[in-house]
Amino acid sequence: MEAVLRARIPLIMLPTAEVTFCVRGVASPLLANIYMHRFIKAFRKYGLDRRYGAVLVTYADDFVVLCRHDAAEVLETTRRWMASIGLALNETKTRVCNARCESFDFLGYTFGPMYSPRTGGRYNGARPSQKAVASIKDNIRQRLRPGNQAPWDEVARDLNRTVRGWAAYFSYGSISKARRAVHAHVDHAVRRFLRRRHKVAGSGFRQFPSKRIFGELGVFCLDTAPRRGSAHASM
């Protein structure tokens, strides 16, 4: 994450290389990782970092290339190299953009220009992507589905593991807004689950107020989750 923000330069986004002869196969991610290592070595050997002021950021078979200039040339070079080692870029997720003006998603985060709610100042930063927030909300709904008949202690432990894991990963950058949204979703979903289970009429706010949900009932409160350093870069 830090490497993407430190670059402060126009970006070429090239995620998810796929093995052309094994796309969608079970072994595809493993084979892609093996072949990606060859791409990383070629990137360094042929000096794309020096020629284009480029920084390669990889994770498994996902990657971005940050360039100071001529990002389109780097993209074409990458396509040729990938083809020569039996890989193909996922073109639906591959694009060139100017990171000073446009946002892009990588590893669950959205990177790009943001605005401070306090000062209105603009900065390059990172925040949990909309897809990441939607995914954790869906996971919470699955754990609090109507058919879940497990004892409450077990339900709460399972829910807390899910929310804690999400909070641990998304502990970097501008996370306050996303955490507030997830916290509110947990509050509402738990209350609805308990209202159904105990056949409580009405909204359930009197029987299950937020203070009780995140206190006596032992549900993890996102406000207490640790945060890592800031994710700001000058424009």
Side-chain angles (χ1 to χ4, degrees):
M1 307 299 175
E2 293 91 340
V4 174
L5 290 169
R6 282 200 304 265
R8 306 181 189 175
I9 47 183
L11 174 139
I12 172 177
M13 186 181 178
L14 308 172
T16 315
E18 297 177 336
V19 179
T20 55
F21 52 82
C22 195
V23 175
R24 298 184 183 276
V26 174
S28 182
L30 175 60
L31 291 175
N33 287 342
I34 294 171
Y35 279 77
M36 274 290 295
H37 181 66
R38 295 175 60 184
F39 168 65
I40 294 169
K41 289 178 67 176
F43 189 93
R44 295 168 179 163
K45 179 179 177 180
Y46 293 103
L48 266 67
D49 50 350
R50 297 187 301 274
R51 287 160 54 193
Y52 298 98
V55 177
L56 175 63
V57 183
T58 67
Y59 182 83
D61 59 347
D62 286 347
F63 63 103
V64 295
V65 184
L66 303 126
C67 310
R68 292 193 176 277
H69 55 83
D70 298 318
E73 291 184 17
V74 177
L75 174 55
E76 289 307 311
T77 300
T78 299
R79 280 198 180 103
R80 290 198 308 272
W81 287 356
M82 288 293 178
S84 71
I85 59 176
L87 297 179
L89 297 178
N90 183 335
E91 296 294 346
T92 62
K93 297 181 179 180
T94 300
R95 66 188 176 104
V96 175
C97 69
N98 187 331
R100 294 192 181 96
C101 309
E102 304 171 70
S103 296
F104 67 96
D105 289 353
F106 183 54
L107 302 181
Y109 278 86
T110 294
F111 296 89
M114 299 175 189
Y115 295 88
S116 168
R118 289 179 297 171
T119 67
R122 186 180 176 186
Y123 64 93
N124 268 10
R127 65 177 181 270
S129 69
Q130 291 182 352
K131 185 176 179 180
V133 174
S135 178
I136 185 61
K137 288 182 177 180
D138 184 60
N139 284 339
I140 291 165
R141 280 191 291 270
Q142 291 299 316
R143 279 149 182 77
L144 298 174
R145 62 192 181 278
N148 187 347
Q149 300 299 320
W152 170 248
D153 286 350
E154 184 178 324
V155 173
R157 281 196 301 271
D158 186 37
L159 175 64
N160 287 345
R161 278 195 299 268
T162 299
V163 177
R164 276 199 177 98
W166 186 89
Y169 182 78
F170 292 103
S171 60
Y172 176 81
S174 302
I175 57 178
S176 296
K177 184 177 179 180
R179 282 191 172 183
R180 283 196 300 269
V182 174
H183 177 85
H185 183 78
V186 171
D187 188 21
H188 174 73
V190 168
R191 183 175 296 107
R192 182 175 55 186
F193 176 85
L194 293 172
R195 181 168 55 82
R196 279 195 308 260
R197 171 169 283 194
H198 296 285
K199 298 180 173 56
V200 172
S203 65
F205 278 95
R206 182 173 63 83
Q207 295 87 346
F208 305 108
S210 299
K211 185 176 181 179
R212 186 182 179 196
I213 288 173
F214 297 104
E216 175 190 344
L217 294 175
V219 176
F220 176 67
C221 179
L222 272 167
D223 289 342
T224 65
R227 298 165 179 252
R228 285 187 284 160
S230 64
H232 295 186
S234 59
M235 298 298 291

